Amino acid sequence: MSERPTTSEATTLEDDTVLAIEDFCVDYGWGDAAVRAVNHVNLSVRRSRVLGVAGESGSGKSTLVYAATRLLRPPGVISGGHVSLTFDDPTSSDAKRRTVDLLAATPSELRAIRWSQVSIVLQSALNALNPVLRIGHEFDEVLSTHRPGMKKAQRRERAAELLSLVGLNADRLARFPHELSGGQRQRVMIALALALDPQLVIMDEPTTALDVVTQREIVNELAQLRARFGFSMIFITHDLSLLVELADDIAVMYAGNVVEWAPANDLYGAPRHPYTLGLLNSSPPLSGERRELVGIAGSPPDLSQPIAGCSFHDRCPFAFEKCSSQAPELRVLDDSGRKVACWLHDSPADVPVALRRRPRDATRVGAQTPSNAEGVV
Ligand code: SF4
């Protein structure tokens, strides 16, 4: 078995993985009071692809991504696993890629990587933008900090160019955040995240506070930006139907575990986990006839208490005896690489019809990357 790359090791990798999360665990609190929020998660993001992470509030999706990028603050504690980031090395003349162990990286190494290689768009642009600074100041600060060689005029030109990428006029640089609409503020955040051409952009529910029309416009724009610049993306949301329009692959999280992973169209057209089915039934369909929405009964479990068996069994309409005593593991289900953690699939003949449908195409927006047909994590 090859050794894990160290922080400073440069390699020429054939693999196109950008972010690799392995056996990753995150707790809140310490010792006996620790609450496991992310439980032995394995996920990866490949070059130019979009990984969607879906689940209700408290499922662990934001904790997973913030901890993996070392942005989680105490009492959040990384309690196990490995996370590595691989990117084209800007200091290399022969197109080498560099792999960094994010959990071992020093503060100065993290500073060099953040924004340049990994950037983030937060849920509330109004909270993320400084209310007493003009928009232009935000761009100027990022560019002068990370590109000290840039002159003021060049920074101004770059800021205007970034705004035009997200459909905003350069005159917005002179405005304060409160002078922009919610959609314009979120576009500013996206433009800021792209300022240094990062290879991975993390979107943490970037459209949650917006109306559905603006949500769709921004998702469209993100799809086009991704196709144009080729960055990879992690898109976190509770809205599965929104994800299906943008993501190549989707991981569904529940109670800190990934309970289903699949290519986006497969998951949307034919969910295999009862929780995924519940999420889809509670979202409006993208196309076809209108149907009545059905919520998922009950609430997510209290993670501070021990959970016996499958963490979804209290809410699952298909639960049977084994579910309340033994926890299913995430296992590969079929040739597409789809993974599901559910005992139902141990006996294919007994799988309910609702979890046996054949995958079909969903309506999607934006261009697909050539690698989209390749498949799986
Ligand atoms: Fe439902 Fe049992 Fe599957 Fe859990 S393992 S999702 S309780 S059927």
Side-chain angles (χ1 to χ4, degrees):
M1 203 172 137
S2 62
E3 275 186 29
R4 189 175 302 285
T6 62
T7 299
S8 58
E9 186 177 350
T11 53
T12 306
L13 297 175
E14 291 174 16
D15 185 8
D16 63 355
T17 298
V18 172
L19 185 75
I21 299 172
E22 300 167 70
D23 203 23
F24 193 50
C25 296
V26 184
D27 296 340
Y28 282 104
W30 293 267
D32 292 343
V35 172
R36 177 61 49 92
V38 171
N39 191 30
H40 298 283
V41 165
N42 292 284
L43 283 173
S44 63
V45 185
R46 286 166 54 193
R47 193 194 278 257
S48 300
R49 290 175 72 87
V50 180
L51 171 68
V53 183
E56 293 166 289
S57 298
S59 59
K61 54 192 190 306
S62 295
T63 297
L64 165 74
V65 174
Y66 282 66
T69 50
R70 298 274 303 277
L71 290 167
L72 190 70
R73 294 185 176 162
V77 182
I78 295 169
S79 48
H82 302 278
V83 181
S84 59
L85 179 76
T86 301
F87 53 89
D88 296 331
D89 183 358
T91 62
S92 164
S93 56
D94 54 357
K96 275 193 172 169
R97 300 181 74 203
R98 179 171 294 276
T99 295
V100 172
D101 179 345
L102 284 184
L103 303 191
T106 63
S108 67
E109 287 167 334
L110 287 174
R111 265 197 302 280
I113 290 167
R114 286 178 181 153
W115 228 308
S116 301
Q117 305 302 339
V118 183
S119 64
I120 188 160
V121 175
L122 300 167
Q123 193 175 124
S124 170
L126 197 55
N127 292 341
L129 293 168
N130 190 324
V132 298
L133 295 180
R134 295 179 197 277
I135 299 300
H137 185 98
E138 303 274 5
F139 284 91
D140 202 59
E141 191 172 18
V142 172
L143 293 169
S144 59
T145 303
H146 292 270
R147 300 282 187 270
M150 278 181 105
K151 297 201 164 35
K152 193 171 173 71
Q154 291 173 311
R155 297 200 295 268
R156 173 111 195 148
E157 192 181 329
R158 174 65 175 153
E161 179 190 11
L162 288 162
L163 280 192
S164 77
L165 286 179
V166 294
L168 293 180
N169 194 292
D171 65 6
R172 298 294 186 275
L173 292 171
R175 305 281 178 86
F176 290 99
H178 73 270
E179 295 179 296
L180 306 183
S181 69
Q184 289 174 336
R185 283 193 292 267
Q186 207 53 272
R187 287 183 167 91
V188 167
M189 292 300 297
I190 293 168
L192 275 168
L194 299 179
L196 304 179
D197 296 319
Q199 294 185 26
L200 176 64
V201 180
I202 295 167
M203 302 275 170
D204 183 12
E205 309 218 29
T207 60
T208 296
L210 305 175
D211 63 79
V212 287
V213 174
T214 311
Q215 276 187 11
R216 290 292 184 263
E217 285 174 4
I218 288 185
V219 166
N220 247 320
E221 287 166 16
L222 284 173
Q224 288 165 10
L225 288 168
R226 192 276 298 248
R228 181 171 168 189
F229 295 108
F231 52 81
S232 308
M233 198 191 304
I234 299 177
F235 196 103
I236 302 169
T237 182
H238 59 274
D239 183 349
L240 254 184
S241 61
L242 193 71
L243 260 192
V244 167
E245 298 185 35
L246 182 68
D248 297 302
D249 313 303
I250 297 176
V252 177
M253 291 192 69
Y254 187 76
N257 297 288
V258 173
V259 295
E260 182 162 6
W261 180 97
N265 275 351
D266 291 359
L267 185 134
Y268 182 75
R272 296 293 187 243
H273 193 283
Y275 180 61
T276 311
L277 180 68
L279 285 179
L280 286 169
N281 284 343
S282 56
S283 309
L286 291 175
S287 56
E289 290 184 8
R290 281 164 43 157
R291 58 169 167 74
E292 194 174 338
L293 302 184
V294 183
I296 304 172
S299 310
D302 177 354
L303 297 179
S304 67
Q305 302 299 320
I307 299 172
C310 172
S311 55
F312 191 55
H313 79 265
D314 278 351
R315 308 173 75 188
C316 180
F318 308 114
F320 55 104
E321 201 178 341
K322 185 178 186 181
C323 304
S324 58
S325 59
Q326 296 179 51
E329 287 189 356
L330 191 68
R331 287 184 291 180
V332 175
L333 190 67
D334 58 31
D335 292 347
S336 74
R338 177 192 289 244
K339 296 172 187 166
V340 181
C342 176
W343 292 125
L344 286 171
H345 297 284
D346 276 8
S347 173
D350 298 330
V351 175
V353 174
L355 298 172
R356 256 196 282 159
R357 287 200 299 259
R358 287 165 59 81
R360 61 179 164 77
D361 274 352
T363 305
R364 296 180 52 124
V365 300
Q368 299 294 295
T369 56
S371 63
N372 190 34
E374 289 172 12
V376 299
V377 170

